[in-house]
Amino acid sequence: LQKVKSDLELVLLTVRSKNKKLEEDLIREQQWSEEQEQMLDILNNTEEETKAQVEPPSTKREFDELKNKIMKLKTYKKELLSALGGFLDEHFPLPEKGENTKNKNSSTEPVVELITMQEVLEILINKIMTTPHEPYVTIDESFWPPYMELLLRCGMVLRHPEDPKRLRLEAFHK
């Protein structure tokens, strides 16, 4: 009986040591599992952040909306320019051929081709938009003086401080 008791105590000690080793292994495996889960969470978060940085999900929709707005603005601009052209053609026609010569007997000199009010405004607008640092246009005989006087009196154009032959469009867009 003593021998069986001592054998059983040895078995008990062996089982306890195995249990202790298994508990340590279990704790180690749980720690490893927690570390792996944390790594997975970090990788998922990093993936989501990079996807958000590359292209937000609403970028395509916003881009399409912007394209639509630009198209509408271009159409509106064309309509406005067409309406302005019609207004200018109706209310500011070019003078008759005989009006711009001072002496009707001197018809041997070539008559300068006058430009329309619409062309004058286009020249002035293009000049101020393309070269804002030097927006002045030199006027010559092709600019009909009554049109220039009208634009000056309305405050749409300004003369150069030093050269009265140079005009610029008033910068209404600023």
mmCIF file of all heavy atoms in Angstrom, residues 107-132:
data_model
loop_
_atom_site.group_PDB
_atom_site.id
_atom_site.type_symbol
_atom_site.label_atom_id
_atom_site.label_comp_id
_atom_site.label_asym_id
_atom_site.label_seq_id
_atom_site.Cartn_x
_atom_site.Cartn_y
_atom_site.Cartn_z
ATOM 1 N N SER A 107 -12.092 111.360 -101.526
ATOM 2 C CA SER A 107 -12.436 109.945 -101.516
ATOM 3 C C SER A 107 -11.317 109.094 -102.114
ATOM 4 O O SER A 107 -11.425 107.878 -102.147
ATOM 5 C CB SER A 107 -13.743 109.702 -102.265
ATOM 6 O OG SER A 107 -13.569 110.103 -103.600
ATOM 7 N N THR A 108 -10.233 109.719 -102.569
ATOM 8 C CA THR A 108 -9.127 108.942 -103.123
ATOM 9 C C THR A 108 -8.321 108.257 -102.036
ATOM 10 O O THR A 108 -7.664 107.264 -102.293
ATOM 11 C CB THR A 108 -8.186 109.864 -103.938
ATOM 12 O OG1 THR A 108 -7.729 110.911 -103.093
ATOM 13 C CG2 THR A 108 -8.907 110.417 -105.143
ATOM 14 N N GLU A 109 -8.374 108.789 -100.801
ATOM 15 C CA GLU A 109 -7.661 108.156 -99.691
ATOM 16 C C GLU A 109 -8.398 106.880 -99.288
ATOM 17 O O GLU A 109 -9.623 106.849 -99.284
ATOM 18 C CB GLU A 109 -7.590 109.095 -98.484
ATOM 19 C CG GLU A 109 -6.798 110.350 -98.724
ATOM 20 C CD GLU A 109 -6.800 111.251 -97.507
ATOM 21 O OE1 GLU A 109 -7.203 110.786 -96.415
ATOM 22 O OE2 GLU A 109 -6.400 112.398 -97.653
ATOM 23 N N PRO A 110 -7.651 105.827 -98.935
ATOM 24 C CA PRO A 110 -8.340 104.599 -98.528
ATOM 25 C C PRO A 110 -9.056 104.803 -97.197
ATOM 26 O O PRO A 110 -8.509 105.377 -96.266
ATOM 27 C CB PRO A 110 -7.217 103.571 -98.393
ATOM 28 C CG PRO A 110 -5.975 104.378 -98.209
ATOM 29 C CD PRO A 110 -6.215 105.698 -98.904
ATOM 30 N N VAL A 111 -10.283 104.349 -97.121
ATOM 31 C CA VAL A 111 -11.085 104.480 -95.912
ATOM 32 C C VAL A 111 -10.694 103.350 -94.957
ATOM 33 O O VAL A 111 -10.606 102.192 -95.341
ATOM 34 C CB VAL A 111 -12.586 104.395 -96.255
ATOM 35 C CG1 VAL A 111 -13.427 104.437 -95.007
ATOM 36 C CG2 VAL A 111 -12.953 105.502 -97.206
ATOM 37 N N VAL A 112 -10.441 103.733 -93.692
ATOM 38 C CA VAL A 112 -10.075 102.740 -92.683
ATOM 39 C C VAL A 112 -11.320 101.946 -92.316
ATOM 40 O O VAL A 112 -12.397 102.512 -92.119
ATOM 41 C CB VAL A 112 -9.485 103.442 -91.439
ATOM 42 C CG1 VAL A 112 -9.205 102.429 -90.346
ATOM 43 C CG2 VAL A 112 -8.246 104.207 -91.804
ATOM 44 N N GLU A 113 -11.163 100.645 -92.229
ATOM 45 C CA GLU A 113 -12.282 99.774 -91.842
ATOM 46 C C GLU A 113 -12.517 99.919 -90.341
ATOM 47 O O GLU A 113 -11.658 99.590 -89.533
ATOM 48 C CB GLU A 113 -11.939 98.331 -92.189
ATOM 49 C CG GLU A 113 -13.056 97.348 -91.973
ATOM 50 C CD GLU A 113 -14.188 97.521 -92.970
ATOM 51 O OE1 GLU A 113 -13.929 97.968 -94.091
ATOM 52 O OE2 GLU A 113 -15.320 97.201 -92.583
ATOM 53 N N LEU A 114 -13.680 100.427 -89.982
ATOM 54 C CA LEU A 114 -14.005 100.611 -88.568
ATOM 55 C C LEU A 114 -14.410 99.283 -87.948
ATOM 56 O O LEU A 114 -14.994 98.422 -88.593
ATOM 57 C CB LEU A 114 -15.144 101.620 -88.422
ATOM 58 C CG LEU A 114 -14.848 103.042 -88.876
ATOM 59 C CD1 LEU A 114 -16.101 103.887 -88.756
ATOM 60 C CD2 LEU A 114 -13.732 103.646 -88.057
ATOM 61 N N ILE A 115 -14.091 99.138 -86.664
ATOM 62 C CA ILE A 115 -14.477 97.913 -85.962
ATOM 63 C C ILE A 115 -15.733 98.170 -85.141
ATOM 64 O O ILE A 115 -15.991 99.291 -84.705
ATOM 65 C CB ILE A 115 -13.326 97.379 -85.078
ATOM 66 C CG1 ILE A 115 -12.880 98.398 -84.045
ATOM 67 C CG2 ILE A 115 -12.157 96.946 -85.920
ATOM 68 C CD1 ILE A 115 -11.821 97.893 -83.095
ATOM 69 N N THR A 116 -16.492 97.133 -84.948
ATOM 70 C CA THR A 116 -17.773 97.268 -84.244
ATOM 71 C C THR A 116 -17.543 97.436 -82.748
ATOM 72 O O THR A 116 -16.455 97.183 -82.232
ATOM 73 C CB THR A 116 -18.647 96.022 -84.467
ATOM 74 O OG1 THR A 116 -17.987 94.903 -83.894
ATOM 75 C CG2 THR A 116 -18.918 95.783 -85.935
ATOM 76 N N MET A 117 -18.600 97.845 -82.069
ATOM 77 C CA MET A 117 -18.534 98.010 -80.609
ATOM 78 C C MET A 117 -18.215 96.671 -79.945
ATOM 79 O O MET A 117 -17.450 96.612 -78.981
ATOM 80 C CB MET A 117 -19.853 98.567 -80.079
ATOM 81 C CG MET A 117 -19.878 98.718 -78.581
ATOM 82 S SD MET A 117 -18.766 99.970 -77.959
ATOM 83 C CE MET A 117 -19.876 101.318 -77.761
ATOM 84 N N GLN A 118 -18.783 95.589 -80.472
ATOM 85 C CA GLN A 118 -18.520 94.267 -79.912
ATOM 86 C C GLN A 118 -17.033 93.922 -80.040
ATOM 87 O O GLN A 118 -16.424 93.410 -79.093
ATOM 88 C CB GLN A 118 -19.361 93.212 -80.625
ATOM 89 C CG GLN A 118 -19.202 91.837 -80.033
ATOM 90 C CD GLN A 118 -20.128 90.813 -80.652
ATOM 91 O OE1 GLN A 118 -20.923 91.127 -81.532
ATOM 92 N NE2 GLN A 118 -20.031 89.581 -80.212
ATOM 93 N N GLU A 119 -16.433 94.202 -81.172
ATOM 94 C CA GLU A 119 -15.010 93.928 -81.354
ATOM 95 C C GLU A 119 -14.158 94.783 -80.422
ATOM 96 O O GLU A 119 -13.148 94.320 -79.878
ATOM 97 C CB GLU A 119 -14.601 94.163 -82.812
ATOM 98 C CG GLU A 119 -15.189 93.137 -83.762
ATOM 99 C CD GLU A 119 -14.998 93.514 -85.213
ATOM 100 O OE1 GLU A 119 -14.882 94.722 -85.528
ATOM 101 O OE2 GLU A 119 -14.959 92.596 -86.051
ATOM 102 N N VAL A 120 -14.561 96.055 -80.225
ATOM 103 C CA VAL A 120 -13.833 96.939 -79.300
ATOM 104 C C VAL A 120 -13.850 96.335 -77.897
ATOM 105 O O VAL A 120 -12.808 96.242 -77.227
ATOM 106 C CB VAL A 120 -14.449 98.360 -79.300
ATOM 107 C CG1 VAL A 120 -13.880 99.193 -78.171
ATOM 108 C CG2 VAL A 120 -14.252 99.037 -80.629
ATOM 109 N N LEU A 121 -15.032 95.926 -77.450
ATOM 110 C CA LEU A 121 -15.145 95.351 -76.108
ATOM 111 C C LEU A 121 -14.369 94.038 -75.995
ATOM 112 O O LEU A 121 -13.727 93.781 -74.973
ATOM 113 C CB LEU A 121 -16.616 95.149 -75.743
ATOM 114 C CG LEU A 121 -17.414 96.433 -75.515
ATOM 115 C CD1 LEU A 121 -18.880 96.115 -75.292
ATOM 116 C CD2 LEU A 121 -16.852 97.228 -74.359
ATOM 117 N N GLU A 122 -14.407 93.215 -77.051
ATOM 118 C CA GLU A 122 -13.642 91.967 -77.020
ATOM 119 C C GLU A 122 -12.148 92.244 -76.909
ATOM 120 O O GLU A 122 -11.439 91.580 -76.132
ATOM 121 C CB GLU A 122 -13.915 91.146 -78.278
ATOM 122 C CG GLU A 122 -15.240 90.434 -78.269
ATOM 123 C CD GLU A 122 -15.496 89.672 -79.561
ATOM 124 O OE1 GLU A 122 -14.572 89.522 -80.390
ATOM 125 O OE2 GLU A 122 -16.634 89.214 -79.741
ATOM 126 N N ILE A 123 -11.653 93.218 -77.651
ATOM 127 C CA ILE A 123 -10.227 93.568 -77.598
ATOM 128 C C ILE A 123 -9.860 94.022 -76.188
ATOM 129 O O ILE A 123 -8.847 93.585 -75.616
ATOM 130 C CB ILE A 123 -9.895 94.658 -78.640
ATOM 131 C CG1 ILE A 123 -9.999 94.084 -80.060
ATOM 132 C CG2 ILE A 123 -8.510 95.243 -78.405
ATOM 133 C CD1 ILE A 123 -9.952 95.140 -81.153
ATOM 134 N N LEU A 124 -10.684 94.901 -75.611
ATOM 135 C CA LEU A 124 -10.391 95.413 -74.272
ATOM 136 C C LEU A 124 -10.460 94.309 -73.211
ATOM 137 O O LEU A 124 -9.599 94.231 -72.323
ATOM 138 C CB LEU A 124 -11.362 96.543 -73.926
ATOM 139 C CG LEU A 124 -11.176 97.841 -74.722
ATOM 140 C CD1 LEU A 124 -12.363 98.769 -74.522
ATOM 141 C CD2 LEU A 124 -9.886 98.527 -74.324
ATOM 142 N N ILE A 125 -11.458 93.448 -73.298
ATOM 143 C CA ILE A 125 -11.594 92.356 -72.320
ATOM 144 C C ILE A 125 -10.433 91.382 -72.454
ATOM 145 O O ILE A 125 -9.824 90.983 -71.451
ATOM 146 C CB ILE A 125 -12.948 91.629 -72.497
ATOM 147 C CG1 ILE A 125 -14.098 92.539 -72.061
ATOM 148 C CG2 ILE A 125 -12.976 90.321 -71.702
ATOM 149 C CD1 ILE A 125 -15.470 92.008 -72.406
ATOM 150 N N ASN A 126 -10.108 90.999 -73.678
ATOM 151 C CA ASN A 126 -8.994 90.057 -73.873
ATOM 152 C C ASN A 126 -7.684 90.645 -73.378
ATOM 153 O O ASN A 126 -6.867 89.940 -72.771
ATOM 154 C CB ASN A 126 -8.871 89.662 -75.346
ATOM 155 C CG ASN A 126 -9.998 88.756 -75.786
ATOM 156 O OD1 ASN A 126 -10.623 88.087 -74.977
ATOM 157 N ND2 ASN A 126 -10.275 88.757 -77.077
ATOM 158 N N LYS A 127 -7.481 91.922 -73.602
ATOM 159 C CA LYS A 127 -6.233 92.551 -73.184
ATOM 160 C C LYS A 127 -6.105 92.559 -71.658
ATOM 161 O O LYS A 127 -5.050 92.241 -71.111
ATOM 162 C CB LYS A 127 -6.161 93.987 -73.746
ATOM 163 C CG LYS A 127 -4.869 94.695 -73.473
ATOM 164 C CD LYS A 127 -3.728 94.059 -74.234
ATOM 165 C CE LYS A 127 -2.483 94.912 -74.083
ATOM 166 N NZ LYS A 127 -1.335 94.332 -74.723
ATOM 167 N N ILE A 128 -7.191 92.916 -70.957
ATOM 168 C CA ILE A 128 -7.109 92.987 -69.494
ATOM 169 C C ILE A 128 -7.004 91.589 -68.872
ATOM 170 O O ILE A 128 -6.397 91.422 -67.818
ATOM 171 C CB ILE A 128 -8.287 93.773 -68.884
ATOM 172 C CG1 ILE A 128 -7.938 94.210 -67.462
ATOM 173 C CG2 ILE A 128 -9.552 92.963 -68.886
ATOM 174 C CD1 ILE A 128 -8.878 95.225 -66.881
ATOM 175 N N MET A 129 -7.559 90.574 -69.538
ATOM 176 C CA MET A 129 -7.488 89.223 -68.989
ATOM 177 C C MET A 129 -6.152 88.546 -69.302
ATOM 178 O O MET A 129 -5.639 87.796 -68.478
ATOM 179 C CB MET A 129 -8.637 88.360 -69.521
ATOM 180 C CG MET A 129 -10.013 88.834 -69.077
ATOM 181 S SD MET A 129 -10.181 89.076 -67.315
ATOM 182 C CE MET A 129 -10.508 87.434 -66.781
ATOM 183 N N THR A 130 -5.579 88.798 -70.474
ATOM 184 C CA THR A 130 -4.329 88.127 -70.832
ATOM 185 C C THR A 130 -3.116 88.820 -70.232
ATOM 186 O O THR A 130 -2.170 88.152 -69.827
ATOM 187 C CB THR A 130 -4.159 88.045 -72.356
ATOM 188 O OG1 THR A 130 -4.228 89.359 -72.902
ATOM 189 C CG2 THR A 130 -5.215 87.155 -72.968
ATOM 190 N N THR A 131 -3.114 90.147 -70.194
ATOM 191 C CA THR A 131 -1.969 90.878 -69.634
ATOM 192 C C THR A 131 -2.467 91.899 -68.619
ATOM 193 O O THR A 131 -2.538 93.095 -68.905
ATOM 194 C CB THR A 131 -1.174 91.594 -70.751
ATOM 195 O OG1 THR A 131 -2.063 92.448 -71.463
ATOM 196 C CG2 THR A 131 -0.521 90.601 -71.686
ATOM 197 N N PRO A 132 -2.810 91.442 -67.412
ATOM 198 C CA PRO A 132 -3.333 92.372 -66.408
ATOM 199 C C PRO A 132 -2.302 93.391 -65.946
ATOM 200 O O PRO A 132 -2.666 94.457 -65.468
ATOM 201 C CB PRO A 132 -3.773 91.473 -65.256
ATOM 202 C CG PRO A 132 -3.135 90.161 -65.490
ATOM 203 C CD PRO A 132 -2.792 90.074 -66.934
#
